[in-house]
Amino acid sequence: MNSSPSQLVSLENVKDLLDSTEAFLFDCDGVIWKGDKLIHGVPETLQLLRSKGKKLVFVTNNSTKSRKQYANKFLSLGISVTEDEIFSSSFAAAMYLQLINFPQHKKVYVIGEQGILEELQLAGFTALGGPEDGKKTVQLKSNCLFEHDKSVGAVVVGLDQYINYYKLQYGTLCIRENPGCLFIATNRDAVGHMTDLQEWPGAGCMVAAICGTTQKEPTVVGKPSTFLMDFLLKKFDMSCSKMCMVGDRLDTDILFGQNAGCRTLLVLSGVTTLSALQDSSNKTHPDYYTSKLSDIFELMQP
Amino acid sequence: MNSSPSQLVSLENVKDLLDSTEAFLFDCDGVIWKGDKLIHGVPETLQLLRSKGKKLVFVTNNSTKSRKQYANKFLSLGISVTEDEIFSSSFAAAMYLQLINFPQHKKVYVIGEQGILEELQLAGFTALGGPEDGKKTVQLKSNCLFEHDKSVGAVVVGLDQYINYYKLQYGTLCIRENPGCLFIATNRDAVGHMTDLQEWPGAGCMVAAICGTTQKEPTVVGKPSTFLMDFLLKKFDMSCSKMCMVGDRLDTDILFGQNAGCRTLLVLSGVTTLSALQDSSNKTHPDYYTSKLSDIFELMQP
């Protein structure tokens, strides 16, 4: 962890940062967009970095979409990004199960949205729950037994705007009653910019609810866990010291970058305010900070 | 806390217990009933205790009903209990707000069921949310602002089988954005016997979800907090040493009794098994334990 004060991005240090960085890792919400609105100046800045030969990777904790859905979202905002450049926590959940050789005959129950189901299915796993269970209700009646699938071997919990008591009971029963059932969290973000105007409960809400009923702690595959980073390193064959993580959250993005040994740049266009960064209670100090990503573009203009 | 091994209830010690106890405090779920089914032998045992002049008090963490609704439930099971003998965590939430002189012009947002709303209204408070918000949905759209009432000064969270994203966002916004807004939990039970055949997510699930989004810890008014006990002591003008708390949970009932300095009796007719009681990891040891409440009745037969 870097405990020295963070530097405001300037003409001098931005050149230095560009010279010494081969890959930029970007968080999306609060850095690239807010909800469905692009943040000012992002396309030009990404273009500038690409023109300088930098590798770009988009690392998002938002599990509601698959990589394919994210690529479409980028395109709809006028930015061309390939699926290969996207690492979402939905994808991370599927990659984690592959890595641990999760048996193909076991099923995965999902508290979350379409993105998790899609990535699990792409990776060859049988997933149930998710959006399909969003309209289900329970009957708290005498002699009514709530049945669950005994072949579920993992419960993946992510952000779920259709969270309900049915899903909470289903996930809880699997974790409590199926021997060895895994409890995997895409991430634990407390809130997120699900819309441009305000924040909404994040995956941390649903994950905490399941911790509350099962009294167990999950394996987290998204930021700030380094699982995704280990995966990235293998894929790109690059040293962490040549990477810079750009994000708007101290507790996930910056910590994630620091955990992995990357340089870190905090942008104030998302959830973190300057006063939160500078508050004496804050122990996470990025190497650099700036108001928004396009400050890099502005500074680099001749 | 009592760290000596617990005694199995026997003819000898049950006489001792009856002689030295003026009031018996009972948990309901797992002691009196499971879901909507009476546990065998309960009416006779309660009748025996009443015939010996013992005061009976029913202390339940289940916040879904008001005291009036509980009195009706007792009646439907053939047991006559007055509202005055019932202390539910729904009632505790209302009494807590009275005790701290919560301003009448402020409102209370409820994540929970009818019981909390009824008790708050009986105590003169303006409550919103609860069942009414159970069918509401959210629109995660650009330029859509989710509005909340700025005059909400407290959020009360209890068991809610109609939990949804709307309520989670509403409660979170009140706690995060209304200055000084209180966060009150009826209780934090992980699971409970909402039906006779199995356990379901308890208030601990919804409370944890709000902790997850707000990153704040609640004030707990139900067991094992001693708030209810302080209230009981004032009402009955009796020493704790003359009371015995009877419950099926170590982490709420027995801890509650021990926190208050009561004698404690664990019944194994609810969530706690004999092996859990005797497991070396268990640090909560009741004075006595027995398989079910009516063992007292059986032992006292001539």
Side-chain angles (χ1 to χ4, degrees), chain A residues 36-37 138-146 159-161 163-165 168-169 172-173 176 190-191 194-202 204-206 208-209 212-213 215, chain B residues 36-37 138-146 159-161 163-165 168-169 172-173 176 190-191 194-202 204-206 208-209 212-213 215:
Chain A
D36 283 328
K37 286 196 176 161
V138 300
Q139 294 278 340
L140 291 181
K141 279 186 183 166
S142 200
N143 293 321
C144 255
L145 188 71
F146 184 103
L159 174 58
D160 191 337
Q161 63 170 302
I163 186 70
N164 61 21
Y165 200 60
L168 292 166
Q169 170 70 334
T172 300
L173 285 178
R176 293 182 81 204
V191 291
M194 306 301 296
T195 59
D196 50 333
L197 294 181
Q198 65 196 147
E199 293 177 330
W200 297 78
C205 176
M206 293 80 208
T213 57
Q215 311 270 288
Chain B
D36 282 328
K37 286 196 177 162
V138 300
Q139 294 279 339
L140 291 182
K141 280 188 185 165
S142 200
N143 293 321
C144 254
L145 188 72
F146 184 103
L159 175 58
D160 191 338
Q161 63 170 300
I163 186 71
N164 60 20
Y165 201 59
L168 292 166
Q169 170 70 334
T172 300
L173 285 178
R176 291 183 81 203
V191 291
M194 305 301 294
T195 59
D196 50 334
L197 294 182
Q198 66 197 146
E199 292 177 331
W200 298 77
C205 176
M206 294 79 208
T213 58
Q215 312 270 287

Side-chain angles (χ1 to χ4, degrees), chain B residues 27-215:
Chain B
D27 176 44
C28 297
D29 265 313
V31 178
I32 307 294
W33 56 61
K34 268 193 176 183
D36 282 328
K37 286 196 177 162
L38 201 60
I39 293 175
H40 178 78
V42 164
E44 304 88 299
T45 315
L46 296 181
Q47 196 45 50
L48 172 80
L49 294 173
R50 280 199 198 277
S51 74
K52 290 186 176 295
K54 307 303 175 192
K55 208 175 275 297
L56 308 187
V57 184
F58 300 88
V59 184
T60 175
N61 263 358
N62 186 330
S63 62
T64 59
K65 292 184 171 62
S66 61
R67 286 169 303 155
K68 189 188 183 111
Q69 290 173 306
Y70 272 114
N72 288 336
K73 175 166 179 171
F74 273 102
L75 205 58
S76 75
L77 296 171
I79 302 175
S80 176
V81 166
T82 66
E83 281 182 46
D84 265 5
E85 292 174 311
I86 298 165
F87 290 80
S88 60
S89 63
S90 52
F91 176 59
M95 289 305 99
Y96 178 79
L97 290 173
Q98 269 193 351
L99 183 83
I100 63 165
N101 294 316
F102 183 76
Q104 295 280 339
H105 67 275
K106 292 245 182 188
K107 295 176 190 156
V108 185
Y109 186 74
V110 176
I111 295 179
E113 303 195 14
Q114 197 56 37
I116 301 175
L117 283 174
E118 268 190 44
E119 292 294 350
L120 288 172
Q121 284 156 0
L122 272 174
F125 297 113
T126 305
L128 65 160
E132 194 181 303
D133 285 355
K135 289 198 188 301
K136 291 188 183 163
T137 55
V138 300
Q139 294 279 339
L140 291 182
K141 280 188 185 165
S142 200
N143 293 321
C144 254
L145 188 72
F146 184 103
E147 304 268 10
H148 74 284
D149 191 326
K150 304 292 188 297
S151 68
V152 168
V155 175
V156 175
V157 184
L159 175 58
D160 191 338
Q161 63 170 300
Y162 305 104
I163 186 71
N164 60 20
Y165 201 59
Y166 179 97
K167 294 184 191 181
L168 292 166
Q169 170 70 334
Y170 205 108
T172 300
L173 285 178
C174 292
I175 294 170
R176 291 183 81 203
E177 299 187 3
N178 291 1
C181 182
L182 305 172
F183 173 18
I184 297 167
T186 58
N187 65 300
R188 299 195 77 161
D189 293 29
V191 291
H193 261 288
M194 305 301 294
T195 59
D196 50 334
L197 294 182
Q198 66 197 146
E199 292 177 331
W200 298 77
C205 176
M206 294 79 208
V207 171
I210 294 294
C211 293
T213 58
T214 61
Q215 312 270 287

